[in-house]
Amino acid sequence: EVHLVESGGGLVQPGGSLRLSCAASGFTFSSYAMCWVRQAPGKGLEWVSGISDSDRGDNRYYSDSVKGRYIISRDDSKNTLYLQMNSLRAEDTAMYYCAKSSLGVDIWSPPDSWGQGTLVTVSS
Amino acid sequence: DIVMTQSPDFLAVSLGERATINCKSSQSVLYSSNNKHYVAWYQQKPGQRPKLLIAWASTRASGVPDRFSGGGSGTDFTLTISSLQAEDVAVYYCQQHYNIPFTFGPGTKVDIK
């Protein structure tokens, strides 16, 4: 069974940084593209970032709202996905979900498994 | 970015009745090489993570009941629940997975009448 567990969320001041982690199990992590999706309190879903599998050079993709501030990465030896978030703003406050691509290395396939999320609050 | 719109915002349907949600993309999401529309549908129940229901506009995800079906073409897509059950109360989102960023619609809340 696929299991994704996010961690690293919390309260941070504007301008600060956080690193989220997503521990994966139940599938061959290195063979799947992964992504982060966030949801502000009471709002809809927003795709944030995605990363292809390592064999394809860890191609990384970002939404315009986080480009230049967030860095997605993966460590296949630890079955873990990361999201380094810098220069955080109030509007980054959200539940952050990691999710697994449904079709292996294809980042253009929709995610079919999601973690429970980790809450990031940006406030002074 | 591709803009996804949904209608209605809220839908109340009697148990056992049909529920239909509409989703429109601001441009084509048809990948000509495989003739697939890159639209997905998700269900999110209160306090829970999203769950993939439909991929490529009409392919049910594993384990999804067959009362859920997706359809449409071009820029207009639908999610239909053929016979609404109490456990289907949720917010439903469409998403295009054709162009990065993979944008979502604003969601449709489905409840029991």
Side-chain angles (χ1 to χ4, degrees):
Chain A
E1 181 186 358
V2 172
H3 211 48
L4 298 169
V5 180
E6 302 92 337
S7 61
L11 176 64
V12 61
Q13 291 188 340
S17 298
L18 275 180
R19 188 175 85 153
L20 306 184
S21 300
C22 172
S25 61
F27 64 103
T28 306
F29 179 75
S30 60
S31 298
Y32 282 83
M34 300 290 295
C35 70
W36 290 95
V37 175
R38 70 184 180 183
Q39 186 170 35
K43 302 297 185 183
L45 301 170
E46 180 187 10
W47 183 91
V48 171
S49 181
I51 186 168
S52 64
D53 68 307
S54 300
D55 286 346
R56 281 152 185 77
D58 284 353
N59 291 323
R60 308 174 192 203
Y61 308 89
Y62 302 94
S63 67
D64 287 346
S65 60
V66 306
K67 197 176 296 181
R69 299 188 299 123
Y70 288 14
I71 300 172
I72 190 172
S73 62
R74 62 190 301 157
D75 185 337
D76 291 344
S77 69
K78 296 182 178 178
N79 289 346
T80 301
L81 177 72
Y82 301 101
L83 187 67
Q84 177 67 42
M85 305 186 298
N86 302 319
S87 302
L88 283 162
R89 307 165 179 167
E91 54 265 36
D92 296 319
T93 294
M95 183 72 77
Y96 283 73
Y97 297 98
C98 77
K100 163 193 159 291
S101 178
S102 53
L103 272 192
V105 304
D106 183 4
I107 200 166
W108 277 267
S109 63
D112 64 353
S113 296
W114 298 58
Q116 84 289 347
T118 187
L119 182 62
V120 172
T121 303
V122 184
S123 175
S124 54
Chain B
D1 297 0
I2 297 176
V3 176
M4 305 296 283
T5 55
Q6 288 182 234
S7 63
D9 296 332
F10 176 77
L11 184 59
V13 175
S14 301
L15 287 172
E17 295 300 305
R18 178 184 299 261
T20 301
I21 301 168
N22 302 295
C23 175
K24 188 175 183 69
S25 58
S26 61
Q27 65 185 72
S28 174
V29 291
L30 174 65
Y31 189 42
S32 55
S33 297
N34 58 16
N35 201 36
K36 288 185 175 182
H37 290 88
Y38 279 45
V39 169
W41 289 92
Y42 301 86
Q43 174 193 64
Q44 187 177 31
K45 297 181 180 179
Q48 295 188 18
R49 70 197 78 181
K51 174 187 175 183
L52 177 67
L53 296 176
I54 304 285
W56 288 281
S58 60
T59 302
R60 255 191 312 275
S62 176
V64 174
D66 61 6
R67 63 180 180 274
F68 291 93
S69 64
S73 63
T75 60
D76 293 286
F77 303 92
T78 57
L79 174 71
T80 300
I81 309 172
S82 61
S83 176
L84 191 75
Q85 305 300 303
E87 61 265 32
D88 300 334
V89 169
V91 178
Y92 293 84
Y93 296 93
C94 62
Q95 180 203 29
Q96 62 83 17
H97 50 103
Y98 179 80
N99 261 359
I100 288 169
F102 298 148
T103 44
F104 290 87
T108 294
K109 186 173 183 178
V110 174
D111 209 340
I112 306 297
K113 185 187 290 183

